[in-house]
Amino acid sequence: MSTAATTRRFRPRAIAVGALALTLALAGCSAGGGSGSTSSSTPAAKPSLEFTGPNGEKPGALSELSLTSDEQAKVKAGKFTAAFVWHTSSDFVTAVEKGARDEFKQLGIDVVASTQASFNAATQANNVQTVLALKPSIIVTIAVDPTSAAKAFKPAVDAGTKLVIMTTPPEGYKAGTDFVSIVTENLTEAGRDNAEILGDALGKKGDVGYISYNANFWFTNQRDEAFKSWLAYEYPDMKIVDSEGFADETATQTIAAAMIAKNPNLKGIYVSWATAAQGVVAAIKASGRTDIKVVTNDLDTTLGAAMVSGNTVAGMVGNGSIGIGKGLALAGAYGVIGKAAPELVASDPTKVTKADLDKGWESDYGTKPPSSVTGG
């Protein structure tokens, strides 16, 4: 679901988003905040693939969202409109919006606005007011700051506008009452995919660094924790020897540089999301090391280019972005015709490595990777 939040999917700067935010609230806190080995002398138990939403919602499959032909006709006859009130701009957000716009078009719903807030809660609040002047039937959004967003989005709720949430709703808002549904990615599967990409890249052994989002954000926290759990279970000869947290993604280069200096045997690093991982890749390059692999979430053109041209980026895990966008649009349609929607639905993530770049990029973003990634 960042860039999210993180792509930067699902990730606010000083509070839990989205953040991408996320978001991405988005389960135990993922950030270690300090260093030290997390190795254990006993085998790790098999992790659960279950996860919950910010209010304990149980996720269903994205395929649960569908409209009958009569319901589609009802939506088309309603002459409804939609607007996007995003937390930030990123490759991920662009892909999600593309998926939503395509589905809105199929349903005869006109898009009247798209805004982004650069992870600034005040900017998002102003964007809400600007968008409401256009009287949209549906607003697709992710809260930058859930606390302040509760007040910012209240006029939309009072006006009867149907809110559809990508990962993070305003604080205190309830599915089916204040918003229609949350649409996101399967967080535990994404964590497992990250572990498996790094495990394969390192030959199932080696010391690993863990750089996670240091805020209480339900989405990112659960995804980060899933990486740790699946790494311990599937790769007992891979040990997390250093854990650090970040609140501002611009700090990751400094964090990674210190981690590399402290751990000369380090072979891999996990980072919560792709734009935060850019600083880690820069730190590895500056250190002169060519044997450290990075894995992260969200498909990012900068990291994609680094993956194609070098060996530092082992892979990225995409969110099923086009599918999330389609799900958000369908959930909005549920709202305007008064159809009850699942509280939370999740898309399947996509593993992307150099070997399957074209297929993975198209699956997640609906296009082939750009020439800036492939070098073509």
PDB file of all heavy atoms in Angstrom, residues 290-321:
ATOM      1  N   THR A 290      30.465  -3.602  -1.634  1.00  0.00           N
ATOM      2  CA  THR A 290      29.703  -4.106  -2.775  1.00  0.00           C
ATOM      3  C   THR A 290      29.004  -5.417  -2.453  1.00  0.00           C
ATOM      4  O   THR A 290      28.400  -6.035  -3.333  1.00  0.00           O
ATOM      5  CB  THR A 290      30.634  -4.323  -3.987  1.00  0.00           C
ATOM      6  OG1 THR A 290      31.668  -5.261  -3.629  1.00  0.00           O
ATOM      7  CG2 THR A 290      31.256  -3.012  -4.447  1.00  0.00           C
ATOM      8  N   ASP A 291      29.085  -5.815  -1.177  1.00  0.00           N
ATOM      9  CA  ASP A 291      28.556  -7.123  -0.780  1.00  0.00           C
ATOM     10  C   ASP A 291      27.338  -7.028   0.144  1.00  0.00           C
ATOM     11  O   ASP A 291      26.916  -8.036   0.717  1.00  0.00           O
ATOM     12  CB  ASP A 291      29.646  -7.933  -0.077  1.00  0.00           C
ATOM     13  CG  ASP A 291      30.182  -7.230   1.164  1.00  0.00           C
ATOM     14  OD1 ASP A 291      30.080  -5.987   1.246  1.00  0.00           O
ATOM     15  OD2 ASP A 291      30.714  -7.914   2.064  1.00  0.00           O
ATOM     16  N   ILE A 292      26.762  -5.839   0.284  1.00  0.00           N
ATOM     17  CA  ILE A 292      25.584  -5.662   1.138  1.00  0.00           C
ATOM     18  C   ILE A 292      24.346  -5.507   0.251  1.00  0.00           C
ATOM     19  O   ILE A 292      24.319  -4.685  -0.655  1.00  0.00           O
ATOM     20  CB  ILE A 292      25.725  -4.430   2.054  1.00  0.00           C
ATOM     21  CG1 ILE A 292      26.956  -4.567   2.953  1.00  0.00           C
ATOM     22  CG2 ILE A 292      24.466  -4.248   2.904  1.00  0.00           C
ATOM     23  CD1 ILE A 292      27.224  -3.343   3.821  1.00  0.00           C
ATOM     24  N   LYS A 293      23.326  -6.306   0.541  1.00  0.00           N
ATOM     25  CA  LYS A 293      22.090  -6.293  -0.235  1.00  0.00           C
ATOM     26  C   LYS A 293      20.977  -5.587   0.538  1.00  0.00           C
ATOM     27  O   LYS A 293      20.852  -5.751   1.753  1.00  0.00           O
ATOM     28  CB  LYS A 293      21.632  -7.720  -0.538  1.00  0.00           C
ATOM     29  CG  LYS A 293      22.692  -8.627  -1.157  1.00  0.00           C
ATOM     30  CD  LYS A 293      23.010  -8.234  -2.572  1.00  0.00           C
ATOM     31  CE  LYS A 293      23.947  -9.261  -3.215  1.00  0.00           C
ATOM     32  NZ  LYS A 293      24.346  -8.858  -4.574  1.00  0.00           N
ATOM     33  N   VAL A 294      20.139  -4.856  -0.190  1.00  0.00           N
ATOM     34  CA  VAL A 294      19.019  -4.124   0.415  1.00  0.00           C
ATOM     35  C   VAL A 294      17.705  -4.678  -0.108  1.00  0.00           C
ATOM     36  O   VAL A 294      17.566  -4.980  -1.298  1.00  0.00           O
ATOM     37  CB  VAL A 294      19.109  -2.621   0.091  1.00  0.00           C
ATOM     38  CG1 VAL A 294      17.867  -1.873   0.581  1.00  0.00           C
ATOM     39  CG2 VAL A 294      20.361  -2.017   0.699  1.00  0.00           C
ATOM     40  N   VAL A 295      16.721  -4.795   0.778  1.00  0.00           N
ATOM     41  CA  VAL A 295      15.364  -5.168   0.380  1.00  0.00           C
ATOM     42  C   VAL A 295      14.397  -4.188   1.036  1.00  0.00           C
ATOM     43  O   VAL A 295      14.652  -3.691   2.143  1.00  0.00           O
ATOM     44  CB  VAL A 295      15.046  -6.621   0.787  1.00  0.00           C
ATOM     45  CG1 VAL A 295      14.953  -6.772   2.292  1.00  0.00           C
ATOM     46  CG2 VAL A 295      13.762  -7.108   0.122  1.00  0.00           C
ATOM     47  N   THR A 296      13.302  -3.885   0.344  1.00  0.00           N
ATOM     48  CA  THR A 296      12.367  -2.888   0.860  1.00  0.00           C
ATOM     49  C   THR A 296      11.008  -3.047   0.217  1.00  0.00           C
ATOM     50  O   THR A 296      10.792  -3.925  -0.630  1.00  0.00           O
ATOM     51  CB  THR A 296      12.925  -1.468   0.626  1.00  0.00           C
ATOM     52  OG1 THR A 296      12.149  -0.508   1.366  1.00  0.00           O
ATOM     53  CG2 THR A 296      12.901  -1.104  -0.853  1.00  0.00           C
ATOM     54  N   ASN A 297      10.088  -2.182   0.605  1.00  0.00           N
ATOM     55  CA  ASN A 297       8.727  -2.193   0.087  1.00  0.00           C
ATOM     56  C   ASN A 297       8.484  -1.023  -0.864  1.00  0.00           C
ATOM     57  O   ASN A 297       9.061   0.041  -0.699  1.00  0.00           O
ATOM     58  CB  ASN A 297       7.725  -2.108   1.239  1.00  0.00           C
ATOM     59  CG  ASN A 297       7.774  -3.329   2.130  1.00  0.00           C
ATOM     60  OD1 ASN A 297       7.272  -4.383   1.779  1.00  0.00           O
ATOM     61  ND2 ASN A 297       8.395  -3.194   3.297  1.00  0.00           N
ATOM     62  N   ASP A 298       7.607  -1.231  -1.811  1.00  0.00           N
ATOM     63  CA  ASP A 298       7.208  -0.278  -2.853  1.00  0.00           C
ATOM     64  C   ASP A 298       8.166  -0.348  -4.039  1.00  0.00           C
ATOM     65  O   ASP A 298       9.379  -0.502  -3.850  1.00  0.00           O
ATOM     66  CB  ASP A 298       7.155   1.179  -2.363  1.00  0.00           C
ATOM     67  CG  ASP A 298       6.367   1.351  -1.084  1.00  0.00           C
ATOM     68  OD1 ASP A 298       5.452   0.537  -0.846  1.00  0.00           O
ATOM     69  OD2 ASP A 298       6.657   2.291  -0.331  1.00  0.00           O
ATOM     70  N   LEU A 299       7.614  -0.191  -5.220  1.00  0.00           N
ATOM     71  CA  LEU A 299       8.441  -0.122  -6.420  1.00  0.00           C
ATOM     72  C   LEU A 299       8.816   1.332  -6.655  1.00  0.00           C
ATOM     73  O   LEU A 299       7.952   2.206  -6.706  1.00  0.00           O
ATOM     74  CB  LEU A 299       7.688  -0.673  -7.633  1.00  0.00           C
ATOM     75  CG  LEU A 299       7.187  -2.111  -7.526  1.00  0.00           C
ATOM     76  CD1 LEU A 299       6.715  -2.607  -8.891  1.00  0.00           C
ATOM     77  CD2 LEU A 299       8.252  -3.035  -6.962  1.00  0.00           C
ATOM     78  N   ASP A 300      10.081   1.575  -6.809  1.00  0.00           N
ATOM     79  CA  ASP A 300      10.614   2.930  -6.884  1.00  0.00           C
ATOM     80  C   ASP A 300      11.579   3.010  -8.055  1.00  0.00           C
ATOM     81  O   ASP A 300      12.419   2.118  -8.243  1.00  0.00           O
ATOM     82  CB  ASP A 300      11.334   3.243  -5.562  1.00  0.00           C
ATOM     83  CG  ASP A 300      12.048   4.575  -5.576  1.00  0.00           C
ATOM     84  OD1 ASP A 300      11.359   5.592  -5.400  1.00  0.00           O
ATOM     85  OD2 ASP A 300      13.277   4.582  -5.744  1.00  0.00           O
ATOM     86  N   THR A 301      11.472   4.068  -8.857  1.00  0.00           N
ATOM     87  CA  THR A 301      12.310   4.155 -10.053  1.00  0.00           C
ATOM     88  C   THR A 301      13.790   4.280  -9.706  1.00  0.00           C
ATOM     89  O   THR A 301      14.644   3.697 -10.385  1.00  0.00           O
ATOM     90  CB  THR A 301      11.881   5.344 -10.925  1.00  0.00           C
ATOM     91  OG1 THR A 301      11.822   6.541 -10.133  1.00  0.00           O
ATOM     92  CG2 THR A 301      10.500   5.103 -11.531  1.00  0.00           C
ATOM     93  N   THR A 302      14.116   5.033  -8.652  1.00  0.00           N
ATOM     94  CA  THR A 302      15.519   5.190  -8.268  1.00  0.00           C
ATOM     95  C   THR A 302      16.125   3.856  -7.850  1.00  0.00           C
ATOM     96  O   THR A 302      17.218   3.479  -8.293  1.00  0.00           O
ATOM     97  CB  THR A 302      15.653   6.209  -7.122  1.00  0.00           C
ATOM     98  OG1 THR A 302      15.147   7.479  -7.562  1.00  0.00           O
ATOM     99  CG2 THR A 302      17.104   6.368  -6.700  1.00  0.00           C
ATOM    100  N   LEU A 303      15.412   3.120  -6.997  1.00  0.00           N
ATOM    101  CA  LEU A 303      15.920   1.817  -6.565  1.00  0.00           C
ATOM    102  C   LEU A 303      15.873   0.807  -7.701  1.00  0.00           C
ATOM    103  O   LEU A 303      16.732  -0.072  -7.796  1.00  0.00           O
ATOM    104  CB  LEU A 303      15.120   1.301  -5.386  1.00  0.00           C
ATOM    105  CG  LEU A 303      15.281   2.024  -4.056  1.00  0.00           C
ATOM    106  CD1 LEU A 303      14.579   1.256  -2.954  1.00  0.00           C
ATOM    107  CD2 LEU A 303      16.732   2.230  -3.694  1.00  0.00           C
ATOM    108  N   GLY A 304      14.864   0.924  -8.547  1.00  0.00           N
ATOM    109  CA  GLY A 304      14.787   0.031  -9.694  1.00  0.00           C
ATOM    110  C   GLY A 304      15.987   0.169 -10.602  1.00  0.00           C
ATOM    111  O   GLY A 304      16.565  -0.831 -11.065  1.00  0.00           O
ATOM    112  N   ALA A 305      16.391   1.417 -10.855  1.00  0.00           N
ATOM    113  CA  ALA A 305      17.573   1.659 -11.679  1.00  0.00           C
ATOM    114  C   ALA A 305      18.823   1.106 -11.018  1.00  0.00           C
ATOM    115  O   ALA A 305      19.695   0.521 -11.676  1.00  0.00           O
ATOM    116  CB  ALA A 305      17.721   3.153 -11.945  1.00  0.00           C
ATOM    117  N   ALA A 306      18.919   1.255  -9.684  1.00  0.00           N
ATOM    118  CA  ALA A 306      20.073   0.715  -8.952  1.00  0.00           C
ATOM    119  C   ALA A 306      20.082  -0.802  -9.005  1.00  0.00           C
ATOM    120  O   ALA A 306      21.154  -1.426  -9.095  1.00  0.00           O
ATOM    121  CB  ALA A 306      20.035   1.198  -7.503  1.00  0.00           C
ATOM    122  N   MET A 307      18.906  -1.413  -8.969  1.00  0.00           N
ATOM    123  CA  MET A 307      18.819  -2.865  -9.029  1.00  0.00           C
ATOM    124  C   MET A 307      19.266  -3.382 -10.391  1.00  0.00           C
ATOM    125  O   MET A 307      19.979  -4.390 -10.488  1.00  0.00           O
ATOM    126  CB  MET A 307      17.379  -3.312  -8.753  1.00  0.00           C
ATOM    127  CG  MET A 307      17.178  -4.811  -8.701  1.00  0.00           C
ATOM    128  SD  MET A 307      15.514  -5.276  -8.151  1.00  0.00           S
ATOM    129  CE  MET A 307      14.535  -4.731  -9.565  1.00  0.00           C
ATOM    130  N   VAL A 308      18.873  -2.679 -11.454  1.00  0.00           N
ATOM    131  CA  VAL A 308      19.226  -3.104 -12.810  1.00  0.00           C
ATOM    132  C   VAL A 308      20.718  -2.922 -13.081  1.00  0.00           C
ATOM    133  O   VAL A 308      21.369  -3.780 -13.690  1.00  0.00           O
ATOM    134  CB  VAL A 308      18.395  -2.326 -13.847  1.00  0.00           C
ATOM    135  CG1 VAL A 308      18.928  -2.553 -15.263  1.00  0.00           C
ATOM    136  CG2 VAL A 308      16.931  -2.747 -13.770  1.00  0.00           C
ATOM    137  N   SER A 309      21.281  -1.802 -12.613  1.00  0.00           N
ATOM    138  CA  SER A 309      22.662  -1.464 -12.963  1.00  0.00           C
ATOM    139  C   SER A 309      23.698  -2.019 -12.003  1.00  0.00           C
ATOM    140  O   SER A 309      24.894  -2.037 -12.313  1.00  0.00           O
ATOM    141  CB  SER A 309      22.816   0.063 -13.027  1.00  0.00           C
ATOM    142  OG  SER A 309      22.575   0.649 -11.756  1.00  0.00           O
ATOM    143  N   GLY A 310      23.282  -2.485 -10.829  1.00  0.00           N
ATOM    144  CA  GLY A 310      24.254  -2.965  -9.841  1.00  0.00           C
ATOM    145  C   GLY A 310      23.737  -4.162  -9.071  1.00  0.00           C
ATOM    146  O   GLY A 310      22.782  -4.813  -9.479  1.00  0.00           O
ATOM    147  N   ASN A 311      24.370  -4.414  -7.922  1.00  0.00           N
ATOM    148  CA  ASN A 311      24.040  -5.591  -7.129  1.00  0.00           C
ATOM    149  C   ASN A 311      23.568  -5.263  -5.716  1.00  0.00           C
ATOM    150  O   ASN A 311      23.324  -6.164  -4.922  1.00  0.00           O
ATOM    151  CB  ASN A 311      25.261  -6.513  -7.039  1.00  0.00           C
ATOM    152  CG  ASN A 311      25.690  -7.046  -8.391  1.00  0.00           C
ATOM    153  OD1 ASN A 311      24.864  -7.530  -9.159  1.00  0.00           O
ATOM    154  ND2 ASN A 311      26.983  -6.938  -8.690  1.00  0.00           N
ATOM    155  N   THR A 312      23.437  -3.972  -5.404  1.00  0.00           N
ATOM    156  CA  THR A 312      23.100  -3.603  -4.032  1.00  0.00           C
ATOM    157  C   THR A 312      21.640  -3.871  -3.697  1.00  0.00           C
ATOM    158  O   THR A 312      21.328  -4.340  -2.593  1.00  0.00           O
ATOM    159  CB  THR A 312      23.418  -2.117  -3.783  1.00  0.00           C
ATOM    160  OG1 THR A 312      24.824  -1.904  -3.979  1.00  0.00           O
ATOM    161  CG2 THR A 312      23.050  -1.705  -2.370  1.00  0.00           C
ATOM    162  N   VAL A 313      20.719  -3.584  -4.607  1.00  0.00           N
ATOM    163  CA  VAL A 313      19.289  -3.769  -4.340  1.00  0.00           C
ATOM    164  C   VAL A 313      18.895  -5.198  -4.715  1.00  0.00           C
ATOM    165  O   VAL A 313      18.878  -5.559  -5.893  1.00  0.00           O
ATOM    166  CB  VAL A 313      18.435  -2.755  -5.110  1.00  0.00           C
ATOM    167  CG1 VAL A 313      16.955  -2.996  -4.835  1.00  0.00           C
ATOM    168  CG2 VAL A 313      18.818  -1.322  -4.715  1.00  0.00           C
ATOM    169  N   ALA A 314      18.592  -6.011  -3.712  1.00  0.00           N
ATOM    170  CA  ALA A 314      18.201  -7.397  -3.968  1.00  0.00           C
ATOM    171  C   ALA A 314      16.814  -7.476  -4.580  1.00  0.00           C
ATOM    172  O   ALA A 314      16.532  -8.343  -5.417  1.00  0.00           O
ATOM    173  CB  ALA A 314      18.236  -8.192  -2.665  1.00  0.00           C
ATOM    174  N   GLY A 315      15.932  -6.576  -4.166  1.00  0.00           N
ATOM    175  CA  GLY A 315      14.580  -6.575  -4.694  1.00  0.00           C
ATOM    176  C   GLY A 315      13.677  -5.651  -3.904  1.00  0.00           C
ATOM    177  O   GLY A 315      14.065  -5.072  -2.888  1.00  0.00           O
ATOM    178  N   MET A 316      12.456  -5.508  -4.404  1.00  0.00           N
ATOM    179  CA  MET A 316      11.440  -4.678  -3.779  1.00  0.00           C
ATOM    180  C   MET A 316      10.136  -5.459  -3.771  1.00  0.00           C
ATOM    181  O   MET A 316       9.921  -6.329  -4.609  1.00  0.00           O
ATOM    182  CB  MET A 316      11.252  -3.376  -4.558  1.00  0.00           C
ATOM    183  CG  MET A 316      12.511  -2.530  -4.679  1.00  0.00           C
ATOM    184  SD  MET A 316      12.303  -1.126  -5.827  1.00  0.00           S
ATOM    185  CE  MET A 316      12.473  -1.968  -7.422  1.00  0.00           C
ATOM    186  N   VAL A 317       9.269  -5.129  -2.833  1.00  0.00           N
ATOM    187  CA  VAL A 317       7.957  -5.774  -2.770  1.00  0.00           C
ATOM    188  C   VAL A 317       6.896  -4.733  -3.104  1.00  0.00           C
ATOM    189  O   VAL A 317       6.712  -3.750  -2.372  1.00  0.00           O
ATOM    190  CB  VAL A 317       7.697  -6.396  -1.387  1.00  0.00           C
ATOM    191  CG1 VAL A 317       6.282  -6.976  -1.322  1.00  0.00           C
ATOM    192  CG2 VAL A 317       8.725  -7.483  -1.096  1.00  0.00           C
ATOM    193  N   GLY A 318       6.224  -4.936  -4.232  1.00  0.00           N
ATOM    194  CA  GLY A 318       5.148  -4.040  -4.629  1.00  0.00           C
ATOM    195  C   GLY A 318       3.869  -4.344  -3.871  1.00  0.00           C
ATOM    196  O   GLY A 318       3.694  -5.418  -3.285  1.00  0.00           O
ATOM    197  N   ASN A 319       2.954  -3.385  -3.908  1.00  0.00           N
ATOM    198  CA  ASN A 319       1.752  -3.462  -3.075  1.00  0.00           C
ATOM    199  C   ASN A 319       0.505  -3.975  -3.781  1.00  0.00           C
ATOM    200  O   ASN A 319      -0.550  -4.058  -3.164  1.00  0.00           O
ATOM    201  CB  ASN A 319       1.434  -2.058  -2.544  1.00  0.00           C
ATOM    202  CG  ASN A 319       2.610  -1.425  -1.855  1.00  0.00           C
ATOM    203  OD1 ASN A 319       2.915  -1.759  -0.729  1.00  0.00           O
ATOM    204  ND2 ASN A 319       3.295  -0.508  -2.531  1.00  0.00           N
ATOM    205  N   GLY A 320       0.625  -4.269  -5.058  1.00  0.00           N
ATOM    206  CA  GLY A 320      -0.596  -4.543  -5.819  1.00  0.00           C
ATOM    207  C   GLY A 320      -1.333  -3.244  -6.073  1.00  0.00           C
ATOM    208  O   GLY A 320      -2.555  -3.149  -5.890  1.00  0.00           O
ATOM    209  N   SER A 321      -0.574  -2.223  -6.500  1.00  0.00           N
ATOM    210  CA  SER A 321      -1.069  -0.846  -6.531  1.00  0.00           C
ATOM    211  C   SER A 321      -2.304  -0.649  -7.399  1.00  0.00           C
ATOM    212  O   SER A 321      -3.271   0.009  -6.987  1.00  0.00           O
ATOM    213  CB  SER A 321       0.052   0.075  -7.032  1.00  0.00           C
ATOM    214  OG  SER A 321       1.234  -0.149  -6.308  1.00  0.00           O
TER     215      SER A 321
END
